[in-house]
């Protein structure tokens, strides 16, 4: 739970446009007071340590410099904010609203906005300290010099911002970022460590509880509605151990649950009470929307959404869809070559305590290919690329169930291609389909051909 709360706090701060600019503004205020104190102490010679010459102008020129910097910085800050909104709007229209989360978490946008705001606040505070009414007006030379340096730095940041804003809305950039997030989610899935997992002990589960478990177990219901953002598996394992229970999870991260729906089945049922129900519900962290933490399907569906938008008649951009298929195939190749964590979790005494609702390779293949196949069945390039991706993935797995899932999709793609009007297009699809069969070739191909 502590780990999730830390990750949740980090994501909340990263996706808020006020956090980084607020920190930088606070730093600018502190810097302004520090420089002004150095000016009051007459420490202008400190600038020479860094090879800098303090500001040598008089009162009027100092006021002009500070006013110019402050006015230009707030103007540019407004422009930066407007450009950011335009980028968000374009990305939302072309790639879907889900990708806005990636833009909101882009620290570069927040840093650029914070730079201009910090320079504005710094210049404003220094400008405020210039005393005009005295016989010997106070001209903070060190502070004005630093303001000029900040203005130069802001110009450099502005040039960088223009470059970053123009590249961040490119399809390849967005797809690459989502793919990196998918890779991170896969790392989390494959390295998930809850209790002691023994895939070879599945027989023990069958002997112990398979017979009549669901009829005897007590269904623990959800006390609220929302998307499951995360599940504290270790907490559930400790509850099951302390109460001498076996818990069978009916939900997994990413699923939407309605209040009153079944979360967990607990056995034996006579040990379940209201307190236990509350404790188990507390282990399920709900929210208004899905997050990638513990949810490997989240990033997969983001890529799928971009792909099906790209092949829609309004956009008609199969190259973007093909790029999404390529990135999905990279993730599925990695998953096909690995063993998924066992859903059966044991305590330290080797007692079965927790049965999780794990994602499967077949389910992830369905998430990746179903909608792209359905919406792209009339697009020959997309159809061919799907078959090529399946042929590539097939080379990474010897698992029969995984091969069945891949062949099932290849068969559906082939059947859908029969509606193509051009005979040569159908021949191209058939050629890729035969390549899939060769990649899946084994003694079991004949037995799974008709799945």
């Amino acid at each position: 739970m502590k780990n999730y709360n830390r990750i949740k706090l980090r994501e909340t701060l990263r996706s808020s446009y006020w956090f980084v600019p607020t920190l930088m503004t606070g730093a600018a205020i502190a810097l302004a007071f520090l420089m002004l104190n150095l000016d009051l102490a007459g420490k202008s010679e400190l600038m020479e340590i860094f090879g800098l010459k303090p500001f040598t102008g008089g009162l009027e020129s100092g006021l002009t410099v500070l006013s110019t910097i402050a006015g230009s910085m707030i103007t540019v800050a407004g422009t930066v904010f407007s450009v950011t909104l335009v980028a968000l709007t374009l990305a939302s229209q072309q790639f879907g609203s889900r990708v806005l989360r990636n833009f909101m978490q882009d620290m570069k946008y927040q840093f650029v906005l914070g730079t201009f705001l910090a320079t504005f606040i710094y210049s404003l505070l220094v400008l405020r300290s210039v005393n005009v009414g005295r016989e010997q007006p106070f001209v903070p030379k060190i502070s004005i010099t630093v303001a000029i340096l900040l203005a130069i730095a802001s110009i450099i940041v502005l040039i960088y911002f223009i470059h970053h804003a123009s590249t961040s809305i490119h399809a390849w950039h967005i797809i690459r970022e989502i793919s990196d997030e998918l890779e991170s989610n896969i790392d989390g899935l494959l390295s998930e460590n809850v209790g002691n997992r023994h895939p070879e002990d599945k027989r023990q589960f069958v002997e112990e509880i398979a017979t009549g478990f669901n009829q005897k177990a007590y269904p623990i219901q959800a006390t609220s509605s929302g998307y499951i953002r995360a599940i504290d598996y270790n907490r559930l394992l400790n509850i099951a151990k302390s109460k001498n229970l076996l818990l069978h999870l009916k939900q997994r991260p990413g699923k939407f649950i309605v209040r009153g729906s079944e979360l967990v089945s607990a056995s034996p049922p006579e040990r379940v009470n209201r307190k236990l129900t509350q404790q188990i519900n507390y282990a399920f962290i709900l929210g208004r929307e899905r997050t990638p933490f513990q949810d490997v399907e989240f990033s997969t569906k983001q890529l799928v959404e971009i792909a099906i938008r790209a092949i829609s008649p309004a956009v008609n951009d199969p190259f973007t869809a093909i790029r999404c298929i390529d990135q999905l195939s990279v993730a599925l190749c990695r998953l096909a070559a690995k063993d998924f964590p066992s859903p059966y979790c044991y305590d330290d005494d080797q007692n079965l305590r927790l049965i999780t609702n794990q994602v499967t390779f077949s389910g992830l293949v369905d998430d990746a290919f179903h909608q792209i196949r359905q919406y792209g069945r009339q697009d020959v390039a997309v159809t061919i690329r799907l078959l090529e991706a399946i042929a590539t993935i097939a080379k990474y797995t010897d698992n029969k169930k995984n091969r069945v899932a891949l062949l099932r999709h290849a068969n559906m793609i082939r059947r859908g291609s029969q509606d193509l009007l051009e005979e040569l297009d159908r021949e191209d699809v058939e050629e890729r389909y035969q390549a899939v069969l060769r990649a899946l070739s084994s003694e079991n191909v004949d037995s799974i051909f008709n799945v």
Side-chain angles (χ1 to χ4, degrees):
M1 180 67 70
K2 292 181 179 180
N3 183 49
Y4 172 76
N5 288 334
R6 185 169 61 251
I7 293 176
K8 181 180 178 181
L9 177 62
R10 184 185 65 189
E11 288 205 351
T12 300
L13 295 178
R14 285 185 60 187
S15 60
S16 60
Y17 260 71
W18 58 266
F19 180 66
V20 173
T22 299
L23 288 180
M24 297 182 69
T25 301
I29 294 173
L31 179 64
F33 282 107
L34 176 61
M35 294 298 104
L36 288 172
N37 286 330
L38 291 177
D39 279 313
L40 290 172
K43 300 293 185 180
S44 300
E45 66 276 4
L46 292 177
M47 302 291 293
E48 299 177 358
I49 299 178
F50 302 97
L52 299 174
K53 185 178 179 179
F55 179 75
T56 57
L59 174 64
E60 295 298 330
S61 59
L63 289 172
T64 302
V65 169
L66 292 173
S67 299
T68 302
I69 293 175
S72 60
M73 288 303 106
I74 195 62
T75 301
V76 175
T79 304
V80 168
F81 187 71
S82 300
V83 171
T84 302
L85 289 180
V86 171
L88 293 176
T89 302
L90 292 176
S92 176
Q93 291 176 349
Q94 185 173 357
F95 306 111
S97 58
R98 290 182 180 86
V99 302
L100 291 183
R101 173 184 164 274
N102 300 77
F103 281 87
M104 293 297 292
Q105 291 191 344
D106 192 339
M107 303 293 288
K108 300 179 184 67
Y109 281 108
Q110 302 176 36
F111 174 77
V112 170
L113 183 61
T115 298
F116 294 115
L117 291 178
T119 304
F120 167 74
I121 293 296
Y122 176 88
S123 301
L124 201 63
L125 292 176
V126 175
L127 181 64
R128 175 179 174 272
S129 68
V130 178
N131 294 318
V132 182
R134 296 182 180 179
E135 295 182 0
Q136 294 182 347
F138 172 60
V139 181
K141 297 183 178 182
I142 298 178
S143 301
I144 295 176
T145 304
V146 173
I148 295 173
L149 294 176
L150 289 176
I152 295 173
S154 298
I155 294 174
I156 297 173
V157 170
L158 177 61
I159 297 172
Y160 168 77
F161 170 76
I162 295 173
H163 168 76
H164 181 69
S166 61
T167 58
S168 63
I169 59 175
H170 286 184
W172 62 266
H173 179 85
I174 296 174
I175 293 172
R176 181 67 259 176
E177 284 196 339
I178 297 175
S179 301
D180 291 341
E181 186 177 69
L182 179 57
E183 288 288 320
S184 177
N185 295 342
I186 292 174
D187 289 337
L189 173 66
L190 298 178
S191 62
E192 192 175 77
N193 184 22
V194 181
N196 301 311
R197 295 177 182 261
H198 303 291
E200 69 277 6
D201 287 347
K202 184 176 180 180
R203 181 180 302 175
Q204 180 180 347
F205 160 71
V206 175
E207 295 174 352
E208 289 181 356
I209 67 165
T211 304
F213 173 78
N214 289 326
Q215 290 77 12
K216 297 178 181 178
Y218 185 88
I220 296 178
Q221 299 176 338
T223 57
S224 58
S225 303
Y227 286 99
I228 301 178
R229 289 188 169 184
I231 300 176
D232 192 344
Y233 292 108
N234 288 314
R235 179 181 178 86
L236 291 174
L237 185 65
N238 292 333
I239 291 173
K241 181 179 179 180
S242 63
K243 303 296 183 181
N244 194 20
L245 290 169
L246 174 59
L247 302 178
H248 188 185
L249 277 63
K250 301 297 184 179
Q251 309 291 343
R252 65 172 179 263
K255 297 298 182 181
F256 183 82
I257 60 170
V258 179
R259 181 178 180 180
S261 59
E262 185 177 1
L263 284 179
V264 176
S265 292
S267 179
E270 60 270 13
R271 295 175 185 166
V272 179
N273 51 39
R274 180 176 296 182
K275 182 179 179 181
L276 179 67
T277 300
Q278 293 175 346
Q279 290 176 338
I280 290 178
N281 268 271
Y282 184 70
F284 288 78
I285 295 89
L286 306 183
R288 297 180 180 177
E289 57 186 23
R290 298 175 67 170
T291 59
F293 181 62
Q294 290 189 351
D295 185 6
V296 72
E297 296 169 304
F298 179 82
S299 299
T300 300
K301 292 184 177 180
Q302 279 189 306
L303 290 173
V304 171
E305 181 179 8
I306 294 174
I308 61 179
R309 280 176 174 267
I311 56 181
S312 66
V315 180
N316 195 23
D317 181 16
F319 297 103
T320 296
I322 289 173
R323 186 182 290 270
C324 291
I325 295 171
D326 291 341
Q327 295 301 323
L328 289 168
S329 65
V330 170
L332 291 173
C333 284
R334 185 177 177 190
L335 289 169
K338 300 291 184 178
D339 292 327
F340 282 51
S342 171
Y344 309 106
C345 305
Y346 297 76
D347 60 20
D348 295 334
D349 298 325
Q350 303 304 313
N351 295 314
L352 183 61
R353 295 298 183 189
L354 195 64
I355 306 169
T356 61
N357 185 355
Q358 293 277 51
V359 295
T360 63
F361 179 81
S362 176
L364 291 174
V365 172
D366 289 345
D367 287 338
F369 292 153
H370 262 325
Q371 288 185 298
I372 298 178
R373 171 183 57 80
Q374 293 162 357
Y375 286 92
R377 62 187 303 171
Q378 296 299 321
D379 194 307
V380 180
V382 171
T383 299
I384 288 175
R385 194 56 182 163
L386 281 173
L387 289 172
E388 291 175 344
I390 292 174
T392 301
I393 298 167
K395 299 175 183 178
Y396 284 81
T397 180
D398 294 325
N399 186 291
K400 181 179 178 180
K401 290 183 178 180
N402 294 352
R403 288 172 172 261
V404 167
L406 294 172
L407 184 57
R408 174 169 165 265
H409 277 274
N411 287 337
M412 289 189 288
I413 294 170
R414 184 199 190 195
R415 289 194 294 267
S417 68
Q418 300 307 310
D419 296 334
L420 296 175
L421 298 179
E422 176 56 52
E423 180 180 357
L424 292 178
D425 288 339
R426 294 197 298 271
E427 290 178 359
D428 287 340
V429 173
E430 181 64 24
E431 180 182 347
R432 271 47 172 214
Y433 176 76
Q434 294 301 323
V436 171
L437 294 185
R438 289 192 295 271
L440 290 169
S441 61
S442 69
E443 58 184 7
N444 296 318
V445 165
D446 293 336
S447 62
I448 64 177
F449 184 83
N450 293 319
V451 296

